[in-house]
Amino acid sequence: MSVYIAHRLFAAHDRALAADLADRLAGKIGPDRVFLPFCDTDEEDLVAEVKGRRLFELDRDRLGRLDAMIAILHGPSLDDGVCMEIGYAAASDVPVIVVSTDFQTYSMTETGAHLEFPDPLIQAVATQIVRVPKLGPPTLSPAPDQSRFHGFRARNAAQTGAALDEAVDTLLALPDRSTLRTGSPSDIGTHMYVEASPYTAWGRDPLAEACVDAGHTVMVPQRFTATSPVAGALADLTAVRSAARLLADVSGPETPPGTALLIGAALASGVRIAAFQPRVTFTHAHGREPNWRNLMVQYAADAHLDSGEAVLSWLTV
């Protein structure tokens, strides 16, 4: 069994949490069967001509030969790189266990069904969700010299520890090859799937309209307006996996989580991908080229479009 640990990796506390999970899992199946990005790609010290692309290639190579994934996702702002990796695994029929300590749930409307994550795609493709939303129990007899902060830290550590242990146990209980609800990959069709930004008003979609005006058959997201968001999410995933092209608006502080997931699924399915980002910003890291999106999103895309004219040009290629 080869297991990929998908995690946010930009801050030390996120990397430490993922390393804790990897260590617990390695104790059960052996360290050579666990892949931990950043650690196992030697990201801090890696030297390459185009470092970001090389890191993407290393991660994608491992994504192409794994047996299972454990993904760590917390809070309303989900890491777009992790979501892309989840989409890639899901489209490859690899079981995905998502672990979270978020105490919130989410819904598409005020009275709608509660979801585990802000975008129903995560819930739709997850083989199992391990959610431990409450603090660990308080210490019954704290030492007199211990502050309340020490006790609070201990309760949080107990919560995360319980979540990680449950994730490992859930993985070990999976069948040899769990079957996802996504079904077998469809043949590539002729339609185009257009994923507008979920942060804009629903209704008129200039990207979809441009594609229709150019003569393309267009499919758009169903999950945000469907009676069953999870069923709508699965329909979106199926539509992307069978599309000829995916045009995705990746605008925002990070690529929206569902959009990133669909980009991963499209890449695994051989679908051409264009990322639309009219207002471009960049991130910078030591030894790495400037990047306009998370590496897993940027290098998955065949084209980066920043205007309506660029979209029209891409549609004719």
Side-chain angles (χ1 to χ4, degrees):
M1 173 182 284
S2 175
V3 182
Y4 190 106
I5 306 295
H7 66 101
R8 186 185 290 273
L9 46 69
F10 304 107
H13 64 278
D14 290 315
R15 296 192 297 270
L17 179 63
D20 191 357
L21 171 59
D23 191 53
R24 293 172 193 238
L25 180 59
K28 299 287 187 179
I29 66 173
D32 293 340
R33 295 183 175 184
V34 180
F35 180 77
L36 182 64
F38 199 102
C39 172
D40 291 331
T41 55
D42 194 25
E43 182 162 338
E44 185 160 275
D45 298 320
L46 177 71
V47 177
E49 184 175 354
V50 185
K51 182 175 178 177
R53 178 175 286 279
R54 180 57 182 154
L55 289 167
F56 166 80
E57 291 168 348
L58 291 169
D59 287 346
R60 186 185 179 187
D61 175 69
R62 198 58 180 252
L63 285 169
R65 51 189 178 92
L66 71 157
D67 298 305
M69 172 182 286
I70 302 180
I72 302 174
L73 289 175
H74 295 291
S77 300
L78 304 179
D79 184 85
D80 50 356
V82 173
C83 291
M84 181 276 183
E85 292 165 337
I86 290 173
Y88 196 104
S92 303
D93 288 331
V94 169
V96 179
I97 296 168
V98 183
V99 57
S100 176
T101 57
D102 192 354
F103 62 81
Q104 299 181 123
T105 54
Y106 305 86
S107 63
M108 298 293 101
T109 63
E110 186 174 356
T111 58
H114 287 209
L115 303 168
E116 301 286 354
F117 301 99
D119 193 303
L121 268 165
I122 309 295
Q123 187 164 328
V125 305
T127 309
Q128 295 283 341
I129 297 172
V130 173
R131 184 167 175 264
V132 180
K134 293 187 176 182
L135 295 169
T139 303
L140 295 179
S141 301
D145 60 341
Q146 287 184 352
S147 72
R148 66 184 185 278
F149 309 118
H150 182 279
F152 184 64
R153 181 181 64 186
R155 295 186 69 186
N156 279 278
Q159 179 184 5
T160 55
L164 299 184
D165 284 340
E166 186 177 342
V168 171
D169 291 342
T170 301
L171 175 76
L172 297 177
L174 288 175
D176 289 340
R177 191 71 171 183
S178 183
T179 302
L180 292 177
R181 290 177 287 169
T182 57
S184 58
S186 303
D187 293 333
I188 297 297
T190 59
H191 68 272
M192 176 177 295
Y193 184 96
V194 179
E195 174 87 357
S197 172
Y199 306 132
T200 57
W202 295 339
R204 183 175 179 271
D205 181 354
L207 287 180
E209 290 178 359
C211 295
V212 171
D213 291 344
H216 292 271
T217 300
V218 172
M219 298 187 72
V220 296
Q222 304 297 311
R223 63 191 185 277
F224 299 117
T225 55
T227 303
S228 169
V230 171
L234 288 173
D236 291 346
L237 182 64
T238 299
V240 165
R241 295 178 70 191
S242 61
R245 301 188 188 200
L246 166 64
L247 175 58
D249 190 332
V250 299
S251 300
E254 294 183 281
T255 302
T259 306
L261 188 151
L262 292 176
I263 287 172
L267 182 65
S269 303
V271 177
R272 291 182 61 190
I273 303 164
F276 179 70
Q277 188 187 25
R279 184 176 181 273
V280 183
T281 57
F282 293 88
T283 59
H284 306 269
H286 176 71
R288 205 178 73 190
E289 72 283 5
N291 297 114
W292 47 265
R293 285 284 79 166
N294 184 291
L295 302 178
M296 301 307 291
V297 171
Q298 174 172 333
Y299 290 114
D302 303 297
H304 182 214
L305 313 176
D306 60 3
S307 67
E309 292 76 13
V311 171
L312 293 176
S313 178
W314 179 71
L315 291 174
T316 62
V317 176

